Amino acid sequence: MLTKAPRGTRDLLPEDCAKWLHVEELFRKICERFGYREIRTPTFEHTELFQRGIGEATDIVEKEMYTFLDKSGRSITLKPEGTAPVVRAFIEHKLFNEPLPAKFFYISPCFRYERPQAGRLREFHQFGVEAFGSPSPSIDVEVIALAVLFLEKLGLSQLKVHINSLGCKRCREDYKKRLNEFLNNKKEFLCETCLVRLDRNPLRILDCKNEGCRKVLESAPVILDFLCDDCRKHFEQVKKELSAVGIKFEVDPGIVRGLDYYTKTVFEIISEELGAQSAVCGGGRYDDLIEECGGPPTPAAGFGMGVERLTLLLESKGLLKIDSWAMDAFIAIAGEEQREYGLRLLYDLRRDGFSAEIDVMGRSLKAQLKYASKIPAKYVFIIGEEEVETGKITVKDLSTGLQEKMTFEEAKALLKKR
Ligand code: ATP
Ligand code: MG
């Protein structure tokens, strides 16, 4: 217990952190290029926010949330996704009074009680963006294009963009009725979970991975045939604009997304190499959510991208290379008599912006040199009795093995050159 992290969580060791940082920095850069600015929301929220924001009849709210009572009996939930908290912050801080659209991005941990497997954890991380205030199809396209450009810049170009439209409240109601009729006649072929979904949320059945259900769905009515004029026009325009900005896509009526709040455009970016956990990124438009959470009617669109799935994919393709890491200097001291002299140089270097370390393990000079080559360090500054007396230190270049005596100022100039 004590020496094992909880199921579904993982450590990022320094090497992993360096890789993640590289990916995060690129995500920030691309978001800023598109005019999105960072927002950070708390790790936990009132449970009601997610019940309302994600929808009661969804997998997340029904069985995946980390919900508990705090010491004063309030129901608290660790955030299972990033959109509802950003919506809450947008309303709480009245950001709707600022010039619109309001465009945010986040990098956040998320928590879902799921069965852990490759690419599925209980604590995972999402990159996400949200654009509030515009009903324009150009925003749907911008959100998709941002994700695609980011993935391309990471070196992933073989990913598939699947899009669909879920229509608005009105056209979806008609569709739900028809789908329900259709599925009611096929009850004997549906799995148990889907039988429950049939009454609560028939759209979720379209998402089922069960083979029997998949077979039934092959001949099921398709939502795209039920779109009202407005929704149809919107979808046509999204497709036109995606083509205009050079994004290849596939219309896939099977994309319904696991969250209730979507309207009109939904999309997923898929990698077949990820097996069952194939969706790297999912998102779409959710024009009713802000109003449902207590804000003024505000159209919106966004996506969430799983960082673990992304890094898994990058790793498998050898695309997660990081610059090799090295300290500028290691200060090796011949004995404890030279420590204070060495420390003065060490802190002078650190203050001047160089990375440097000194022996703290009581190693012999020989062992210090060996250690320095392992860290690795670029240079070793060797300080013995003579060095302290003459003010000239011995500088060893670990890449060539050559060493030379020089003043500390000269040694610093050497570091600056590298
Ligand atoms: P899935 O169908 O794989 O369960 P989802 O529809 O539940 O995904 P979303 O709610 O859309 O996922 O979350 C956005 C992204 O977050 C997903 O595309 C995926 O990359 C990632 N993600 C979701 N759940 C997990 C998890 N438990 N562990 C790791 N990543 C996850
Ligand atoms: Mg899920």
Side-chain angles (χ1 to χ4, degrees), residues 112 114 119-121 124 126 257 259 279-282 304 306 309:
R112 294 186 195 175
E114 297 200 74
R120 194 176 293 286
L121 290 113
F124 64 102
Q126 277 190 359
R257 314 283 308 121
L259 298 79
V280 183
C281 176
R309 282 188 206 176

Side-chain angles (χ1 to χ4, degrees), residues 276-290:
Q277 277 65 250
S278 62
V280 183
C281 176
R285 179 166 278 287
Y286 45 94
D287 287 343
D288 304 326
L289 181 64
I290 294 175

Side-chain angles (χ1 to χ4, degrees), residues 322-359:
I322 42 166
D323 296 339
S324 55
W325 185 86
M327 295 295 284
D328 292 320
F330 185 84
I331 312 245
I333 47 177
E336 282 307 312
E337 311 76 58
Q338 285 84 39
R339 176 166 298 276
E340 278 144 45
Y341 189 87
L343 283 171
R344 269 199 291 278
L345 303 194
L346 174 70
Y347 280 86
D348 188 314
L349 287 177
R350 287 178 172 173
R351 272 192 288 269
D352 261 17
F354 298 108
S355 57
E357 286 186 303
I358 195 168
D359 174 65

Side-chain angles (χ1 to χ4, degrees), residues 73-109:
R74 293 185 202 92
S75 184
I76 294 293
T77 295
L78 303 184
K79 64 172 137 174
E81 57 97 54
T83 300
V86 177
V87 165
R88 199 259 315 128
F90 176 76
I91 299 170
E92 179 170 341
H93 302 287
K94 301 197 166 54
L95 300 180
F96 42 79
N97 289 331
E98 310 277 317
L100 296 175
K103 304 202 291 189
F104 308 101
F105 77 86
Y106 55 81
I107 299 177
S108 169

